[in-house]
Amino acid sequence: MSDTTSNTAEKLTTSDGKPLKASFAKALRRQKMRALILIAPLLLFVLISFAAPIVDMLFRSVQNEIVPETLPRTVTALESWDPASGELPDEFVFAAQRDDLIIAAERKQHTRLGSRLNYEMTGMSSLFRKTGRRVDDFGEIFTEQFEDLNGAWVEPATWVSLMASEDWIAAQTEWASADDDTVAEPAFEVSEAAKEALPRTAEIYAGFANVIQTEDEDSPTEEEPWNPVYAALYGDLIANPDAAANYSGATAELLATAAAAVPDFEATTAREEFIDADEDWGSLDVWQTLYRFKGPYTAGYYLAALDAQMTADGIEMVPEDQRIYLLLFMRTLVLSVVITFSCLILGYPIAFLLSHLPLRSANLLMILVLLPFWTSLLVRTSAWKVLLQQQGVINDILVFIGLVSDDGRLALINNATGTVIAMTHILLPFMILPLYSVMKTISPTYVRAAKSLGATDWTAFWRIYFPQTVPGIGAGAVLVFILSIGYYITPELVGGTSGIFISNRIAYHISSSLNWGLAAALGTLLLVVVLLCFVIYDKLVGIDNVKLG
Amino acid sequence: MKSKSIILALAATLATSTAAYAEQMTIVSWGGAYQASQKNAYTDPYMEMNPDIEVVWDESSNEAVAKLRAMNEAGNVTWDLVDVVAADAMRLCDEGLAMEYDPDELLAPAPDGTPASEDFGDLIVSDCFIPQIVYSTTAAYRPDLLPEGAPEPESICAMFDTETYPGKRSLEKRPINNMEWALICDGVAKEDVYDVLETEEGQDRAFAKLDTIKDDVIWWSAAAEPPQLLADGEIVMGSSYNGRWFSAIVEEDQPFKMLWDAQVFDLDGWIIPAGLPEDRLAMVKDFVKFATDTQRLADQAAYISYGPARNSSAPLVGKHAELGVEMGPHMPTAPENSENVFVYNYEWWADYRDDLDAKFQSWLVQ
């Protein structure tokens, strides 16, 4: 406001007459830009190599594109079905499923879809695998009858002239006459006339031509269509006997005779063929599951990560004997707290000693702290296995000094005790180092002053010294807690069954069961838990109080 | 001028390094004694014959499916040949990640001219799977740790008999094999195991049987663990792959004995990743033809006690390459060992794996 109201004469300007303010802002902006350009490579590197993969991985926890991508026609057709009706979907849906499945089977996508749906319903995997093997026979009955009607129906050329657009035929002829192996055949295009008169046939034939060209690197001009194409043609001709009107030449005649003949064809439905291939297709559950998971995004993985599932009646907890994730989350948190506390109890006196010893001895002790820190994690963990097992060194000593009897040897490993012991050892330096660096900066004069005013050793420590170390405790505790929450190698090796963490399940789903969606959902939840702990910590202690040195 | 010559030098280095890359072949295997047997039997002789080819090993077979999937999604498959178990090969083949092949075209016939498809027979369980060996998961025990007066265990059910054989035992941390053994020891006939396991009651029954030993089991996830635990005296018996037991007993002279009862047969072999470029594929094909011929498979058996997958290799199996021990009697396929074999059902497990694994894991933690 002041700018516009103030007198122009009073305005400060630069030598070239521009207002100083604008010129200054411009210079500042240029400076900022320069700074940004300087850090741009780093920023880009962090974004591309760190942030993007994490976001991509987290995105998998809701991704369900495999269903709509593998079964596009079925998913659309299912819109018209009411899953609560208690009846199976109609023939239209089954026919769409047949067309989708044969394309998926040719592209070998159906088994992956089966494994995806198997997470939601046991048996889906084999259902898709089994049906995928048989789907190319679906509609064979029609192929035979069309062939009996006129041998031309099995000629690839008949189908090309019926289905292909004129542009494509021209491009293909040109390509064929060039006879150049290095150039691929032009991608097949369906004619408008075919789409209009024989919509289903055109759809599946286009899918057929695409698979033939991309998967088999062959040409639709040389391959007889799949059986389901004939089934689709039968369906189209029954629905629209006047289809031939759109065509000219020999195909019109052929089509007209076929249209006249199809009402007398021996027919079967896609539904019958599916149920014949596997009776599970007649089960309402299968279709309801498909219906629930037809969208491109799903909450299914998050529900599974929280021991819940989506059923026909809404969201429910999974049976008692299959609930593990909440338990594992709780255990991870509880054991991490225990590990953090034992690190604190063991680390505090050591850090105290380190910061009060003369430099020479302190350095020696520091090396003793750092040496195991520099040793391989696996080596240290395996060493604990040797020490802690029932026939191991520690148990032997305990038996020798008579603390435990020979048959009463303690179970110190392959359980939660083992995890706590080994992880406390591994994470101890992360507690000692911040504590030490904070204690090092505390001036001894405060404690001396307190003592000179009559405080006992304990009071001087507790009321004067300890409060000044809280930032170090905070830093060490946050570090140890967050590290231990995400640990998986040590719990895997020494944790047995009662000492494993949620991260062990994440690792399992990433590398063994290949359920990446569930792993991503568990990982996201773990991230949320860590952030929550962070917020709570900030409320209780204050993150500004954390000091690493 | 100077910068130009540097660029030229750089380009030259790049060119030679890509040329060197073209002659590298990345083979993925399991590491340990098994990979060593492959190195001794196939790759070392092959590299001797083809000095310009360098074999690079990657020991990630236990994560092969996950990694191949990831490589495929990233559009950059860097592996040339992958050693996997049959179940993984089926999975990779179904998903189009492994190349389908024609056995008689790719593999060498037997010395007597029998085509490869017949020589390997039923072991070619998938269109993409090139079998190498038959191995088994079986139990072993330490006679000196058995309580006095207890008879030596003869059946797998000793695993579930904590009264006669007190002490810890070690089983693999997964439902496969354990559920089947539990049912067999609960009185289910071998041929009915999967029918029973398919039902809710059958699964409960298997878990109830496993419950009886739950507190006595140390669960392993690496097959090297049980022999180590047994050597340490931590356990009285455990399950592992027969080759691991063999190397503990014969090569390291441990006082173990193998049970062989209800040993679970499984297969291991190669797959060729789908979509390899022509030149790499030609190299891999040439190697596979060599590595799976009758003599090479028999040679492998001189280093590890896994049965060669070719019928024609069996008579050629001789003595251990270093110890001179006759290998025949240590093979899982030897008649006296294979009296009571259990063949596990791949198809069934493909369906029930997710489900039973969730149940098994929650059973473990509860």
Side-chain angles (χ1 to χ4, degrees):
Chain A
M1 281 303 267
S2 60
D3 271 0
T4 49
T5 50
S6 68
N7 192 335
T8 357
E10 280 173 25
K11 213 177 208 173
L12 288 168
T13 56
T14 54
S15 59
D16 54 356
K18 283 180 190 155
L20 182 64
K21 206 169 181 179
S23 175
F24 182 64
K26 197 176 164 194
L28 205 65
R29 203 162 48 232
R30 203 180 301 142
Q31 224 169 24
K32 275 188 190 160
M33 278 304 289
R34 200 178 300 148
L36 193 70
I37 289 171
L38 275 175
I39 64 152
L42 177 70
L43 197 69
L44 267 178
F45 176 75
V46 169
L47 279 179
I48 292 173
S49 68
F50 186 68
I54 291 182
V55 171
D56 179 62
M57 200 61 209
L58 295 186
F59 188 58
R60 281 177 192 274
S61 60
V62 289
Q63 228 173 7
N64 192 43
E65 274 151 10
I66 186 163
V67 182
E69 264 171 25
T70 318
L71 304 174
R73 301 165 186 83
T74 317
V75 163
T76 324
L78 271 175
E79 296 292 346
S80 61
W81 178 59
D82 175 17
S85 65
E87 275 171 39
L88 285 181
D90 54 19
E91 174 63 16
F92 180 63
V93 176
F94 274 97
Q97 168 95 334
R98 177 191 63 203
D99 297 354
D100 281 332
L101 206 56
I102 185 154
I103 292 173
E106 292 288 329
R107 290 212 176 112
K108 301 201 162 188
Q109 289 167 334
H110 64 300
T111 54
R112 217 181 283 195
L113 175 69
S115 345
R116 161 69 192 102
L117 290 170
N118 206 55
Y119 299 144
E120 313 299 342
M121 185 183 167
T122 307
M124 286 295 235
S125 176
S126 67
L127 182 61
F128 274 93
R129 219 167 333 109
K130 215 190 273 175
T131 318
R133 274 199 296 268
R134 298 198 34 188
V135 71
D136 46 349
D137 295 336
F138 286 11
E140 199 176 4
I141 181 173
F142 299 112
T143 315
E144 282 163 6
Q145 292 179 91
F146 274 109
E147 191 186 350
D148 289 345
L149 197 65
N150 191 328
W153 278 115
V154 291
E155 296 299 327
T158 315
W159 283 93
V160 169
S161 67
L162 189 66
M163 288 292 157
S165 73
E166 281 168 26
D167 290 347
W168 186 81
I169 293 178
Q172 204 271 342
T173 324
E174 194 183 330
W175 171 84
S177 60
D179 202 23
D180 182 359
D181 276 350
T182 55
V183 185
E185 190 180 50
F188 183 81
E189 278 168 42
V190 184
S191 72
E192 290 303 318
K195 269 188 207 162
E196 196 184 313
L198 306 167
R200 301 210 66 143
T201 320
E203 170 88 28
I204 172 84
Y205 188 81
F208 157 77
N210 183 295
V211 169
I212 290 292
Q213 287 190 321
T214 57
E215 298 294 311
D216 308 347
E217 286 171 24
D218 216 328
S219 170
T221 55
E222 280 161 23
E223 291 289 319
E224 183 193 340
W226 303 319
N227 291 318
V229 178
Y230 292 90
L233 179 64
Y234 170 81
D236 274 335
L237 288 179
I238 290 283
N240 177 17
D242 303 325
N246 279 315
Y247 293 88
S248 54
T251 47
E253 204 177 305
L254 198 64
L255 209 57
T257 7
V262 284
D264 302 328
F265 271 19
E266 191 188 332
T268 174
T269 61
R271 182 165 159 164
E272 279 167 23
E273 283 176 314
F274 267 101
I275 295 174
D276 193 38
D278 193 316
E279 56 188 21
D280 279 354
W281 287 113
S283 141
L284 206 55
D285 273 350
V286 165
W287 288 100
Q288 282 172 341
T289 308
L290 256 180
Y291 187 86
R292 274 200 299 282
F293 292 93
K294 67 182 162 54
Y297 300 103
T298 175
Y301 293 122
Y302 278 100
L303 290 174
L306 293 168
D307 291 334
Q309 62 186 356
M310 235 192 289
T311 65
D313 314 319
I315 293 166
E316 279 173 14
M317 292 302 276
V318 297
E320 198 98 27
D321 62 342
Q322 290 172 34
R323 291 181 200 168
I324 57 170
Y325 297 115
L326 291 179
L327 185 83
L328 281 175
F329 270 115
M330 275 319 290
R331 178 194 288 165
T332 308
L333 289 178
V334 169
L335 285 187
S336 296
V337 168
V338 172
I339 290 161
T340 311
F341 267 99
S342 41
C343 278
L344 182 62
I345 289 165
L346 292 174
Y348 198 91
I350 297 173
F352 185 82
L353 187 66
L354 272 173
S355 63
H356 283 76
L357 280 178
L359 203 62
R360 264 180 87 104
S361 355
N363 276 347
L364 189 74
L365 272 186
M366 188 51 110
I367 289 174
L368 291 183
V369 170
L370 289 178
L371 211 59
F373 189 51
W374 293 331
T375 315
S376 150
L377 186 78
L378 279 172
V379 171
R380 281 187 284 164
T381 309
S382 317
W384 278 116
K385 288 195 91 151
V386 177
L387 287 175
L388 291 176
Q389 59 187 8
Q390 288 198 310
Q391 308 295 326
V393 182
I394 291 179
N395 262 311
D396 281 349
I397 294 174
L398 291 178
V399 171
F400 181 73
I401 59 175
L403 262 181
V404 295
S405 67
D406 200 17
D407 1 306
R409 287 171 178 254
L410 302 175
L412 295 171
I413 203 154
N414 295 320
N415 52 26
T417 320
T419 305
V420 171
I421 294 176
M423 280 186 58
T424 302
H425 171 233
I426 281 157
L427 294 174
L428 201 52
F430 291 99
M431 182 62 92
I432 295 176
L433 294 176
L435 273 175
Y436 171 70
S437 63
V438 167
M439 287 176 178
K440 207 61 195 156
T441 61
I442 298 172
S443 165
T445 49
Y446 300 124
V447 174
R448 264 186 248 145
K451 280 188 185 166
S452 74
L453 289 170
T456 60
D457 280 354
W458 170 250
T459 317
F461 168 76
W462 183 245
R463 301 204 28 205
I464 306 299
Y465 191 80
F466 181 78
Q468 299 183 74
T469 60
V470 166
I473 296 178
V478 166
L479 219 58
V480 170
F481 182 74
I482 289 180
L483 278 175
S484 66
I485 255 185
Y487 246 61
Y488 82 92
I489 298 178
T490 309
E492 180 70 39
L493 290 174
V494 301
T497 52
S498 58
I500 57 156
F501 283 6
I502 189 72
S503 29
N504 295 97
R505 290 307 287 170
I506 298 178
Y508 170 82
H509 284 305
I510 289 280
S511 62
S512 300
S513 81
L514 301 179
N515 191 346
W516 290 353
L518 181 54
L522 288 169
T524 313
L525 288 180
L526 191 60
L527 185 67
V528 169
V529 169
V530 170
L531 291 178
L532 267 180
C533 291
F534 206 69
V535 170
I536 294 170
Y537 181 85
D538 188 30
K539 282 262 148 52
L540 289 179
V541 184
I543 214 71
D544 323 335
N545 277 330
V546 169
K547 225 160 63 179
L548 283 164
Chain B
M1 275 314 275
K2 199 162 192 186
S3 67
K4 198 176 175 186
S5 62
I6 290 175
I7 291 171
L8 277 177
L10 208 71
T13 340
L14 273 176
T16 44
S17 66
T18 44
Y21 178 77
E23 283 143 15
Q24 277 187 347
M25 178 161 53
T26 309
I27 300 185
V28 185
S29 187
W30 301 87
Y34 182 62
Q35 187 174 306
S37 75
Q38 292 179 314
K39 190 169 170 299
N40 286 325
Y42 335 129
T43 55
D44 282 353
Y46 187 75
M47 274 159 75
E48 217 157 277
M49 289 161 53
N50 300 277
D52 52 329
I53 292 179
E54 190 198 341
V55 172
V56 180
W57 291 97
D58 184 329
E59 303 182 0
S60 352
S61 275
N62 57 344
E63 292 177 354
V65 184
K67 290 200 170 175
L68 267 177
R69 251 198 202 176
M71 284 185 195
N72 195 268
E73 278 186 28
N76 181 20
V77 178
T78 56
W79 289 348
D80 294 307
L81 191 61
V82 190
D83 191 294
V84 284
V85 292
D88 285 346
M90 288 177 176
R91 202 161 176 166
L92 288 167
C93 200
D94 282 346
E95 292 186 11
L97 297 175
M99 188 188 88
E100 287 183 18
Y101 74 102
D102 174 4
D104 292 333
E105 188 191 314
L106 181 67
L107 309 175
D112 63 0
T114 316
S117 54
E118 272 174 47
D119 203 16
F120 282 101
D122 297 338
L123 301 191
I124 304 179
V125 288
S126 149
D127 294 337
C128 307
F129 182 61
I130 308 164
Q132 288 174 84
I133 54 137
V134 179
Y135 73 97
S136 77
T137 308
T138 185
Y141 60 97
R142 250 177 78 170
D144 57 317
L145 289 182
L146 298 178
E148 255 169 80
E152 295 216 355
E154 278 176 0
S155 99
I156 190 69
C157 300
M159 200 70 94
F160 296 88
D161 182 0
T162 46
E163 255 168 54
T164 323
Y165 308 103
K168 299 257 181 195
R169 40 269 277 143
S170 190
L171 289 170
E172 190 172 2
K173 200 198 266 177
R174 61 171 195 174
I176 300 175
N177 296 356
N178 298 330
M179 302 288 279
E180 289 99 318
W181 280 339
L183 282 184
I184 291 172
C185 293
D186 204 36
V188 176
K190 252 194 323 185
E191 55 274 18
D192 299 334
V193 163
Y194 289 103
D195 292 336
V196 174
L197 208 50
E198 208 164 286
T199 63
E200 200 74 27
E201 301 80 55
Q203 294 171 9
D204 290 346
R205 191 170 161 190
F207 279 123
K209 186 71 183 173
L210 284 168
D211 262 334
T212 60
I213 54 165
K214 191 176 180 184
D215 294 335
D216 297 304
V217 178
I218 296 176
W219 300 94
W220 60 268
S221 37
E225 286 176 62
Q228 186 60 51
L229 288 167
L230 198 57
D232 288 346
E234 283 288 293
I235 53 172
V236 285
M237 58 180 82
S239 71
S240 187
Y241 308 138
N242 73 296
R244 306 278 181 161
W245 292 128
F246 170 82
S247 78
I249 296 171
V250 179
E251 292 170 5
E252 288 161 27
D253 223 10
Q254 292 287 343
F256 306 165
K257 275 192 176 175
M258 285 172 77
L259 210 47
W260 293 116
D261 182 61
Q263 58 163 323
V264 185
F265 266 4
D266 200 350
L267 303 168
D268 192 273
W270 302 113
I271 61 105
I272 302 173
L276 285 187
E278 287 294 327
D279 52 336
R280 273 165 68 194
L281 184 61
M283 178 169 65
V284 170
K285 278 182 167 173
D286 187 57
F287 172 74
V288 167
K289 189 167 205 155
F290 172 79
T292 53
D293 71 11
T294 303
Q295 186 58 47
R296 246 46 64 181
L297 287 186
D299 284 353
Q300 189 179 7
Y303 299 95
I304 198 152
S305 64
Y306 293 138
R310 270 182 188 263
N311 285 326
S312 60
S313 296
L316 301 180
V317 172
K319 290 184 173 162
H320 190 280
E322 280 141 33
L323 302 171
V325 182
E326 202 63 54
M327 294 299 279
H330 294 284
M331 294 292 168
T333 41
E336 64 275 22
N337 298 336
S338 54
E339 274 164 21
N340 188 16
V341 165
F342 188 82
V343 183
Y344 100 90
N345 187 334
Y346 301 108
E347 292 274 305
W348 192 89
W349 275 111
D351 278 351
Y352 285 85
R353 210 166 146 180
D354 292 325
D355 214 30
L356 270 185
D357 180 71
K359 281 187 188 165
F360 186 76
Q361 297 294 338
S362 47
W363 172 81
L364 275 182
V365 298
Q366 275 166 2

